[in-house]
């Protein structure tokens, strides 16, 4: 059955170490990547990155544009050669045997790279021949992956007639066709509608539940929260934080107290209150160490606190004394968006090395 597609991977000779062993699915060690530029200093895309991705999990790689996420993917796939350090997939150094590594990978790139004039069947059949799927197994595997992503009913239609979400699902089916043990998803739901995104999320969860490993790069914090067992946040090519989503959220404190004020300067000095961890002013300025910038919240001050009622009351009293018109918007738990912006800042980024 399609539900068992990924569970059967360990029976194949190229499936790597058994699930549950201590060998990481992917390991980046002291990784450095420089791009040479004529008459200018090299562009450093990754700087001494060390990161292990355990087997059987969804691992989210987050970061602003130009932080190095796609560079990590390209190094793992052997499309780039690192300036320094190593990339290892299931115990195999990519530089030593890139063919063996690629046999273990299923990749969904940002660009789906499908043939629009061919049907889904024809796209998958071509890919199966190209990647050496045995002739006797091709039809069975194509049937399985099409059912897995819910495209059986459209298998004979030209891909050019598919919606963006359907094309993403077909790209995932293509990646699973060779029964990989590590699936790499580079911005898999970019530009995809809500319904298709939910369908893709369901398939990604199934891959991990059935024993596969997923490396996911995304700019959607909701997606990272929903899918990732563990996360790493990159900024300017360096690792700035790693952990489970809950661990990263707890770094900012137990609660955020959001206050709407016509005098955001009233927040100055607030971080000196006991129990206050950081303060973000949504008027384009930051107080203390915490930085944030959420769309539509101009005039709101977000106070990261320890979660004690006494701290919340002290924050409210602070504003009442300095702005009689201040209004409590709410008390909430920090989310990944708060974490991301606190660690990477609010400035817009150019693309650079993704």
């Amino acid at each position: 059955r399609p539900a068992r597609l990924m569970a059967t991977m360990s029976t194949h000779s190229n499936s790597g170490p058994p699930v549950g062993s201590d060998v990481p699915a992917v390991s980046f060690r002291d990784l450095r990547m420089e791009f040479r530029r004529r008459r200018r200093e090299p562009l450093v895309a990754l700087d001494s990155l060390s990161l292990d991705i355990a087997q059987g999990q969804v691992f989210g790689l987050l970061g602003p544009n130009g932080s190095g996420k796609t560079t990590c993917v390209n190094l793992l796939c052997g499309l780039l050669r690192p300036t320094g350090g190593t990339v290892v997939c299931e115990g195999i150094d990519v530089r030593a045997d890139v063919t063996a590594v690629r046999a273990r990978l299923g990749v969904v790139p940002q660009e789906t790279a499908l043939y629009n004039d061919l049907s889904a069947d024809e796209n998958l059949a071509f890919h199966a021949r190209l990647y050496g799927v045995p002739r006797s197994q091709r039809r069975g595997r194509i049937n399985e992956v099409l059912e897995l992503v819910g495209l059986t009913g459209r298998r004979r239609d030209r891909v050019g007639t598919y919606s963006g979400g359907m094309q993403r699902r077909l790209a995932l089916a293509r990646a699973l066709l060779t029964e990989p043990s590590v699936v790499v998803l580079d911005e898999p739901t970019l530009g995809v509608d809500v319904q298709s995104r939910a369908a893709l999320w369901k398939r990604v969860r199934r891959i991990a539940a059935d024993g596969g490993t997923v490396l996911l790069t995304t700019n959607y914090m909701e997606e990272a929260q929903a899918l990732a067992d563990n996360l790493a946040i990159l900024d300017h090519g360096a690792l700035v934080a790693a952990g489970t989503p809950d661990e990263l959220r707890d770094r900012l404190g137990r609660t955020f107290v959001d206050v709407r004020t016509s005098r955001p300067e009233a927040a100055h000095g607030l971080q000196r209150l006991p129990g206050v961890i950081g303060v973000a002013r949504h008027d384009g300025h930051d107080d203390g160490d915490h930085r944030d910038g959420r769309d539509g919240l101009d005039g709101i001050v977000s106070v990261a606190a320890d979660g004690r009622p006494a701290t919340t009351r002290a924050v409210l009293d602070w504003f009442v004394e300095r702005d009689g018109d201040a209004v409590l918007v709410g008390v909430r738990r920090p989310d990944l968006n708060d974490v991301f912006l606190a660690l990477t800042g609010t400035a817009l980024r150019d693309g650079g090395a993704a």
Side-chain angles (χ1 to χ4, degrees):
R1 293 178 56 83
R4 299 182 57 221
L5 177 65
M6 300 302 296
T8 62
M9 292 185 303
S10 61
T11 65
H12 296 275
S13 60
N14 67 344
S15 61
V19 173
S21 71
D22 293 333
V23 177
V26 177
S27 180
F28 300 127
R29 191 64 61 222
D30 299 322
L31 197 58
R32 184 175 180 84
M33 186 70 220
E34 296 180 0
F35 293 99
R36 294 183 179 180
R37 300 184 294 179
R38 186 169 182 172
R39 297 179 181 175
R40 289 190 291 173
E41 290 294 316
L43 173 65
V44 178
L46 292 173
D47 187 9
S48 302
L49 175 66
S50 291
L51 192 64
D52 287 335
I53 300 172
Q55 297 179 55
Q57 68 172 230
V58 179
F59 192 96
L61 201 57
L62 310 180
N65 292 337
S67 62
K69 304 186 302 295
T70 298
T71 299
C72 288
V73 170
N74 290 339
L75 287 165
L76 174 60
C77 298
L79 299 177
L80 294 174
R81 188 177 183 87
T83 307
T86 58
V87 183
V88 178
C89 179
E90 296 184 336
I92 303 172
D93 190 315
V94 174
R95 286 190 291 187
D97 195 346
V98 68
T99 301
V101 169
R102 287 175 178 168
R104 288 160 165 76
L105 297 178
V107 182
V108 180
Q110 290 185 25
E111 299 295 334
T112 54
L114 297 165
Y115 294 100
N116 287 339
D117 290 334
L118 301 181
S119 68
D121 253 344
E122 291 166 337
N123 268 275
L124 294 178
F126 174 76
H127 186 80
R129 291 195 300 271
L130 186 65
Y131 281 85
V133 176
R135 185 184 184 90
S136 61
Q137 299 178 21
R138 289 174 194 166
R139 181 50 50 191
R141 291 199 196 173
I142 290 173
N143 291 341
E144 285 181 333
V145 296
L146 284 173
E147 186 175 345
L148 189 68
V149 299
L151 289 176
T152 301
R154 296 290 303 272
R155 64 188 305 159
R156 294 182 176 85
D157 295 344
R158 287 177 55 251
V159 171
T161 67
Y162 283 14
S163 67
M166 292 171 65
Q167 290 191 12
R168 283 289 186 186
R169 284 152 56 195
L170 181 58
L172 177 59
R174 181 184 59 189
L176 298 178
L177 192 60
T178 57
E179 297 185 336
S181 50
V182 178
V183 178
V184 181
L185 307 177
D186 194 8
E187 303 282 358
T189 60
L190 186 66
V192 170
D193 61 61
V194 174
Q195 290 82 3
S196 294
R197 184 176 301 173
L200 283 165
W201 286 5
K202 183 178 180 180
R203 305 309 168 193
V204 171
R205 292 191 194 98
R206 174 58 60 84
I207 292 170
D210 288 345
T213 302
V214 178
L215 172 58
L216 167 75
T217 78
T218 182
N219 280 322
Y220 296 121
M221 298 302 109
E222 178 189 7
E223 185 164 78
Q225 178 68 49
L227 294 179
D229 300 301
N230 282 281
L231 295 166
I233 299 178
L234 304 182
D235 195 21
H236 298 294
L239 179 67
V240 296
T244 67
D246 285 345
E247 287 171 346
L248 293 178
R249 291 164 69 185
D250 287 345
R251 288 177 59 145
L252 295 188
R254 302 301 302 177
T255 59
F256 265 21
V257 182
D258 292 333
V259 177
R260 186 179 296 280
T261 173
S262 59
R263 298 183 58 208
E265 67 275 8
H268 182 68
L270 185 60
Q271 68 271 17
R272 293 195 294 269
L273 282 179
V276 171
I277 298 168
V279 181
R281 290 166 46 183
H282 300 278
D283 58 349
H285 299 85
D286 297 319
D287 251 25
D289 294 329
H290 180 68
R291 296 176 292 171
D292 199 355
R294 300 163 65 87
D295 291 342
L297 294 187
D298 287 345
I300 287 183
V301 174
S302 294
V303 182
D306 59 12
R308 295 185 301 122
T311 303
T312 302
R313 181 54 186 264
V315 169
L316 297 180
D317 289 344
W318 177 280
F319 281 102
V320 168
E321 293 174 4
R322 291 160 177 79
D323 180 8
D325 296 325
V327 176
L328 174 64
V329 175
V331 179
R332 60 185 174 85
R333 190 179 179 199
D335 58 26
L336 281 181
N337 193 64
D338 296 310
V339 176
F340 184 81
L341 292 170
L343 293 172
T344 65
T346 62
L348 295 175
R349 304 289 182 90
D350 293 327

